[in-house]
Amino acid sequence: MEKYKYSVKKAIDMTEAEFEKCAHLFSVSYGKYSEKSDYKPGEQIAMSKRFFEKRYKKANVYIATCYHACNGVLVGQAIYARRYYAGYGTMTWVMQLVVNAHHRKEGIGSKLLHSIWGFSDDFAWGLATANPCTVKALERATLRRCNPTVIQQNLSHIQRFEQDIQFVENIEYDVTEQRSEINTRFFIDNREFVNSVDASSWKMGELKPGYEWLAFTFRSQPVDKELFKKHFTEFAEFSESKLIDAYSRMHMQKQPWAQHSDEEVDEILKTIEFPRAAKILDVGCGRGRHSVSLAKRGYRVTGVDFSGKNVRYAKNFVKRTKEKSPNIVCNFITADARNYLLPADKKVDLALCLFDVIGSFPDEENNMQILNNLYNNIKPKGYAVISVMNLDFLLSKTTEESYFDVNKDYELLYSMQPGKKMQSSGEVFDEKYLLIDKNTGIVYHKEQFDEDGQLPAEYVIRDKRYKMNEIIELAKQCGFKTIETRYVRAGKFYKNQKSEDCKEILLVLQK
């Protein structure tokens, strides 16, 4: 179970109780007034619910929150505004970031900020703060340096945005080529943070009492090479948690390719015939559509998926199905396809692994683990049916412009256009939204997820796609004998289709 739960809401949709919690977190965790303040010097900075609500309950303002999963206590929040301006794009301004002192250094603030600043096609990202560490977080998230000269050049855009969101009344700007500050008349004690920043890399000038740094970066700025080398792997690393997060956010019930389970199962069963009581393992089962289709035919099915959200949906799917088919046997387990192993007496007659489970990792070692695990979960002479993404189909759609060297063309990778199709339709073959590494053949694409109640996020996703001979050889190395091969499309698993027409390769294997 995850320790924290993150979500985001429009401020105008927040309840009175939620505003009360946000105001309380701010009041106990934000910090103290400096000794130079005329108002309550040295005392804790606090904000009433009424004032909090009046200040932030506005259109285009969002509140991202982090709650402790066990006790439901609010431990982190970020308040931000996003506005689109015709002619140059979307600007994002973080107006407040607070993390409870007992939960700092656990990555909560970084996760909140990166979710807000992570959309690489925004025009500008920024904030006003007296904390230099937050300025550095902005640079890490956007891979660009805060440069007073560039901020000065774009000051009219920033001022227009600030006036629209009414950040603070009667702001005085002090932005030159040497510094970027605004007079908010907010005297916060920031000594702890100022002393923690490397002065040699600081370009924003020394902060005057009552002022905050006006820190912004812009899409027009070049990506900083050193920041890229140091931090891009944090975003691009295809970690298990990002896999689960991205795939669980897809609207599976709306995906066009997910509407053909019965037809696909029919075609599989024309090739492999089993007695009705046969045991089947569906690896990477998603929300259970193939599992339930097989169970309705009398097979005993176990579905495995690494997304707890998908498994919960699949279990509810079975409950609904049992109202009409009470005798079906279909169980679901949250587990990793690379290491889930059945007991010796529970081996199955058939293992399914369909739609991009094999290949979802960029390195062959992890994909081989999935194949090996399929082999180990099948009875002797048992079968596996797998499908992988067809590289030849992709290559038929791309041009030389789609190829790059990930070790050299970092600017090209970061400036790659993000897509939003994965969340809505599952489309990952659109050549306008992907790049192919010349050295490894790994496919890169950026996908944005938003407006689903979770933190907004842009994922850099890498996957492995195969030619027919490559996946046959991989299966052979695991001990499988290839019985049949096909090029297939969703809902069309029948034989004799052309490779250039099909996004998937399907193999029927035997142990």
Side-chain angles (χ1 to χ4, degrees):
M1 181 179 179
E2 292 188 2
K3 186 175 181 180
Y4 299 110
K5 291 185 177 180
Y6 294 86
S7 63
V8 66
K9 269 189 175 183
K10 293 180 178 179
I12 56 176
D13 294 333
M14 296 281 283
T15 66
E16 292 284 327
E18 287 171 330
F19 273 115
E20 183 73 54
K21 291 177 182 179
C22 290
H24 175 73
L25 176 63
F26 178 91
S27 298
V28 300
S29 303
Y30 191 78
K32 296 181 178 181
Y33 289 104
S34 75
E35 296 297 337
K36 296 181 180 179
S37 173
D38 293 332
Y39 180 74
K40 297 184 177 181
E43 293 188 25
Q44 189 73 28
I45 299 170
M47 187 182 294
S48 69
K49 179 190 76 68
R50 182 179 177 183
F51 185 82
F52 195 100
E53 189 173 0
K54 179 182 178 181
R55 182 169 185 177
Y56 295 120
K57 194 170 186 177
K58 302 173 183 176
N60 299 108
V61 175
Y62 301 81
I63 302 182
T65 56
C66 174
Y67 283 85
H68 197 285
C70 292
N71 57 28
V73 173
L74 180 65
V75 296
Q77 65 193 30
I79 303 173
Y80 63 101
R82 281 176 63 81
R83 286 187 68 97
Y84 173 79
Y85 294 95
Y88 53 94
T90 299
M91 297 182 70
T92 303
W93 184 317
V94 173
M95 298 186 286
Q96 184 191 116
L97 173 70
V98 185
V99 177
N100 183 284
H102 298 295
H103 297 271
R104 290 172 187 165
K105 298 184 179 180
E106 295 188 55
I108 293 172
S110 296
K111 185 167 185 176
L112 290 169
L113 291 176
H114 188 258
S115 74
I116 296 165
W117 288 324
F119 280 13
S120 60
D121 56 341
D122 279 7
F123 170 76
W125 313 267
L127 76 164
T129 181
N131 186 344
C133 299
T134 310
V135 177
K136 291 297 182 181
L138 169 62
E139 294 181 334
R140 288 196 302 272
T142 63
L143 300 182
R144 291 159 169 85
R145 298 288 185 185
C146 290
N147 185 324
T149 299
V150 178
I151 294 170
Q152 184 184 43
Q153 292 168 353
N154 289 276
L155 188 57
S156 61
H157 297 312
I158 297 172
Q159 289 174 321
R160 177 183 175 185
F161 187 20
E162 182 272 320
Q163 290 166 6
D164 287 342
I165 64 175
Q166 297 177 331
F167 175 62
V168 177
E169 294 182 0
N170 302 318
I171 282 182
E172 297 175 15
Y173 290 84
D174 186 4
V175 181
T176 69
E177 294 182 356
Q178 287 77 39
R179 62 181 176 272
S180 178
E181 303 173 3
I182 55 176
N183 184 4
T184 58
R185 295 166 293 282
F186 190 40
F187 293 79
I188 185 171
D189 185 352
N190 67 346
R191 290 172 295 178
E192 174 188 354
F193 307 114
V194 169
N195 295 335
S196 67
V197 171
D198 178 11
S200 64
S201 64
W202 187 252
K203 307 298 181 184
M204 297 290 286
E206 186 175 346
L207 199 62
K208 298 186 288 291
Y211 280 70
E212 296 180 69
W213 284 292
L214 180 67
F216 267 80
T217 60
F218 302 86
R219 187 177 67 241
S220 58
Q221 289 179 263
V223 171
D224 185 271
K225 186 175 181 179
E226 293 305 315
L227 282 172
F228 181 90
K229 287 181 176 180
K230 188 173 181 180
H231 298 292
F232 188 76
T233 53
E234 297 174 9
F235 317 140
E237 184 179 10
F238 205 75
S239 66
E240 181 182 55
S241 60
K242 283 190 178 180
L243 261 174
I244 295 171
D245 195 14
Y247 282 92
S248 67
R249 293 179 75 163
M250 294 172 66
H251 298 316
M252 294 293 186
Q253 65 272 26
K254 298 181 180 178
Q255 308 286 10
W257 52 264
Q259 310 303 316
H260 311 287
S261 309
D262 290 339
E263 299 97 313
E264 291 160 359
V265 167
D266 285 341
E267 288 297 324
I268 291 171
L269 294 178
K270 286 178 184 178
T271 306
I272 310 170
E273 294 185 5
F274 292 106
R276 290 298 185 183
K279 291 188 289 186
I280 297 175
L281 181 67
D282 186 2
V283 177
C285 65
R287 298 194 169 187
R289 58 195 185 94
H290 292 111
S291 299
V292 172
S293 182
L294 285 159
K296 286 191 296 185
R297 290 166 164 82
Y299 299 106
R300 292 175 290 170
V301 185
T302 299
V304 175
D305 199 271
F306 66 178
S307 167
K309 181 180 178 181
N310 284 343
V311 167
R312 288 190 295 273
Y313 185 96
K315 287 180 177 179
N316 288 328
F317 184 18
V318 170
K319 287 180 181 179
R320 295 194 302 271
T321 305
K322 281 191 173 185
E323 294 175 3
K324 294 182 178 179
S325 305
N327 296 322
I328 67 170
V329 179
C330 192
N331 300 305
F332 293 98
I333 297 168
T334 303
D336 192 319
R338 293 167 292 180
N339 52 42
Y340 176 71
L341 195 61
L342 291 163
D345 61 341
K346 302 290 184 181
K347 304 297 183 185
V348 297
D349 302 285
L350 168 66
L352 295 181
C353 192
L354 302 174
F355 288 104
D356 318 337
V357 179
I358 299 167
S360 57
F361 294 94
D363 60 286
E364 213 64 283
E365 180 182 353
N366 280 292
N367 294 315
M368 282 288 285
Q369 286 179 11
I370 298 173
L371 266 171
N372 276 318
N373 217 41
L374 288 176
Y375 186 90
N376 293 329
N377 279 316
I378 300 170
K379 295 177 181 177
K381 302 298 181 181
Y383 292 87
V385 177
I386 68 171
S387 71
V388 296
M389 287 192 283
N390 180 11
L391 180 59
D392 281 329
F393 174 86
L394 175 62
L395 296 179
S396 71
K397 307 295 182 183
T398 55
T399 64
E400 186 60 31
E401 294 178 350
S402 297
Y403 290 87
F404 82 119
D405 185 337
V406 69
N407 296 314
K408 298 177 181 178
D409 304 327
Y410 62 90
E411 179 76 35
L412 183 61
L413 178 59
Y414 194 75
S415 62
M416 177 173 55
Q417 185 177 356
K420 292 189 175 183
K421 289 187 176 182
M422 188 174 173
Q423 182 177 19
S424 59
S425 69
E427 176 59 67
V428 291
F429 280 90
D430 193 329
E431 64 274 13
K432 297 194 298 293
Y433 299 99
L434 55 80
L435 291 170
I436 305 171
D437 184 10
K438 296 176 182 177
N439 302 311
T440 64
I442 300 300
V443 177
Y444 290 73
H445 53 109
K446 289 194 293 193
E447 294 291 338
Q448 293 182 349
F449 289 77
D450 202 0
E451 302 296 333
D452 62 352
Q454 299 183 56
L455 293 184
E458 180 176 291
Y459 302 94
V460 176
I461 297 177
R462 302 179 289 171
D463 54 56
K464 173 69 176 175
R465 308 187 185 193
Y466 295 93
K467 295 190 175 186
M468 180 70 82
N469 64 313
E470 293 174 339
I471 189 60
I472 290 174
E473 177 59 28
L474 213 62
K476 181 180 178 181
Q477 291 177 26
C478 294
F480 282 113
K481 177 172 66 173
T482 300
I483 304 300
E484 189 171 305
T485 64
R486 300 179 187 180
Y487 293 102
V488 298
R489 292 177 284 171
K492 298 180 179 180
F493 275 18
Y494 48 75
K495 299 179 183 179
N496 302 322
Q497 298 189 81
K498 296 180 181 179
S499 173
E500 60 268 25
D501 295 332
C502 296
K503 296 179 179 180
E504 301 270 334
I505 297 170
L506 185 138
L507 301 185
V508 179
L509 308 170
Q510 189 173 29
K511 185 170 180 177

